[in-house]
Amino acid sequence: MFRIKLRLLFFLLFGLAVWASIRMVYIKGVFGKYYKGIGIPKDSTIVVKNRAFSLDNLQEQGRRGNICSDDGTILVANIYIYDLYWYPSKVSQADSALFMNKADSLIDIFCQITPEKSRSYYETKVKKAYPLYREAYNRAEAKIKSKDKNVKAEGLREKAELSKQKLLIRVSGLNNNKKWVRQRHIDAIDELFAEWSDPRSAFKGGCQKDKRFVRRQLSGGFPVSVLGMFDIKPDKYGVDEMVFHSGLEGFYNNELSGEVIPKQILKVNNNTIRLRKNRHIDPNDGKNVITTINSDIQRITKSALEKQLNLLGANFGAAIVMEVKTGEIKAISNLDLRNGRYVEKNEHTMIEKYEPGSTFKMISLIAALETGKIDTGDIVHCEKGDFSLARAFEISDNEGLFEAVKRSYGDLNAFGFALKTMGLTLNLNLEVSRAQKPTLKTRTSSLADFKNITHGYSINVPPMYMLAYYNAIANDGVYIRPRLVKKIENPNFDKDNDEVMETEIVKEQLCSYKTVKKVQKCLEGVVTHGTARRVRDALYLASLHDTTREPIAPLIAGKTGTAYQNIGGKYVQTKNSSFIGYFPADAPKYTCYVLISGSTIDAGAAAAPVCKEIAEKLIAHLNDFAQNNQNNVTNKYPSCALAYGQDLTCFYQTLGMKTHQLKENAFVKTQVNAENEIHSKPFDFPQKGMPSFDGCNVRDVVFLLEKKGYKTFVRGVGKVARIEYAEKKAYIYLKN
């Protein structure tokens, strides 16, 4: 009997195998080519044996590249967001106990995502609803098993309706970054239900998670208007997509965009099937854009600008810091007043342009000096008397500069031609979408226009162009294009094909070297005894009272510019106050532009102090950087001029060196003996006079002097070279 049953089972299985084989051959013979996407007419449907085949085209795009700071910190990137739903039907009977045990924790996550919803709401909609759903589902299942066709049909309808039940948790709007379901929420849900019966299930906890991505600035404090913005627009399928139109996002859109690959999908009775030929074809990701922006300098610049705007209550402000030799933009900030706060909103430095006011007088001065018909020592008629041209520039006298230009050129056409020859209207190809160029009004015989242009009216210039011109003077006449990008980095770490941006020289020599030196001296004069006296630094002021030494150069050299705002063709009482300067004045490393708009205060009091704060903090930052990067270990056994004992103990122990009676709770000096042992000598102030700090670390010296009640002022980069004392003030000079 057993053998008969075994034979029957064998023939049954054999019959099923034969039937399956015949069925497979039939399907392959009748439908095979259609399932491969072959033989289906374009833009039409073919019906074969009650199966409707059609092809549809779609485009798959690689991930958009990142925008990074100069050290590789990601500033802007694509992040995944989700639309989140909860389906009771996705919680199987096998997982019911686990779900109910974890329901409170799941509700905690839902409340994090939607804090506007109460916990009791989710208690009702999730925790209490699921047992009710399970009871209804079991009743429907029982009806389906009934032999009564009507009851069975009713059970099927009830089950279908139950499967449609869902609770919307959050739809993540692309244009609202405060209401997103983030990756961390999804990870928390998946981790909560790690013991789910199907570990590969996409519906752990009964949650449906529809993934998409959004472009987001990851690091705060950076200029969103410069990095780039986008609009949300529906594509041809009605799905929201981002359209990039401004800033670096717009300018480098082709590089940032991922590769687009056209693909075909097969639809069989409206069910989508991915064709095999597409399975291993993936688009390349977009390239990364590495900017020149430095995180530390950006923080310093934005902080100084924001503080001054809050003090003045101005409409908006902008500040730029540019590296003199390379043209790299190390910081750029645009702050607009919105609802009582200053926020990054609009781009004022490259896609807007303004009448520059008296900062333009430097360009007028260059043009006049280049003719050789006038010099800085020549007397010109000014509004309050007759002064040298240099003094007229220092006090920003309109009449004096106009007379100098008129003597040199005679009329506006000749002056305008000279400005163009100097490169004022050259396109700098700034790396943001919709960047503007200067507009220069020269085709007119109006004497008023001629006069206005010499002191910065009747001409509109983007701030970045003005900065580039001043940077050329700081750079001894070499006119460099401002750069926002250091490198275009290929995806997948393909370093060999990275595109490194080089310094681009617009004009080898903006003007003669002789003129450059004269203009530099005039710009220093504006600071030392002109309209920018507020930016004089403490060390320069101290040097004025020291008759035993030659006066030192000020920290900053630059020019103020105040222009009344032109609104609707009429000038109003509010002003655009600007200051452009470079520092250190005797060895320029950075050029800085500051604009304060909408106040009633002149540039010397409104914009210049911002540049001073940026310069002083940036020089201090450079000192710290130099100190941290100096390699004091010139030989195997280094000594130390001055340091805190505890720090030295850690340092020498790390090097594996022996220390002999090194006091950890005091400042010490160290020496190395013949046996390569470290011997320390306690540091203390003598009873009379001051100790020598030559070669010491400036931070330790500042700490010790301020502890003794001295107010310290630091100039230079490197280690302490000399210190001058006066009335509880210590002026510390550094040298590499």
Side-chain angles (χ1 to χ4, degrees), residues 53-66:
F53 295 87
S54 64
L55 290 175
D56 198 2
N57 295 313
L58 60 79
Q59 291 183 332
E60 187 172 341
Q61 187 170 18
R63 187 182 178 92
R64 190 173 179 87
N66 302 325

Side-chain angles (χ1 to χ4, degrees), residues 423-444:
L424 180 65
T425 57
L426 289 175
N427 189 351
L428 294 179
N429 296 313
L430 302 177
E431 298 159 296
V432 296
S433 294
R434 300 179 294 170
Q436 298 292 305
K437 295 193 303 179
T439 52
L440 180 62
K441 185 178 181 181
T442 58
R443 294 187 177 183
T444 173

Side-chain angles (χ1 to χ4, degrees), residues 78 197 275 279 353 372 694:
N78 287 347
S197 58
L275 295 172
R279 288 179 184 174
K353 47 190 175 182
D694 292 353

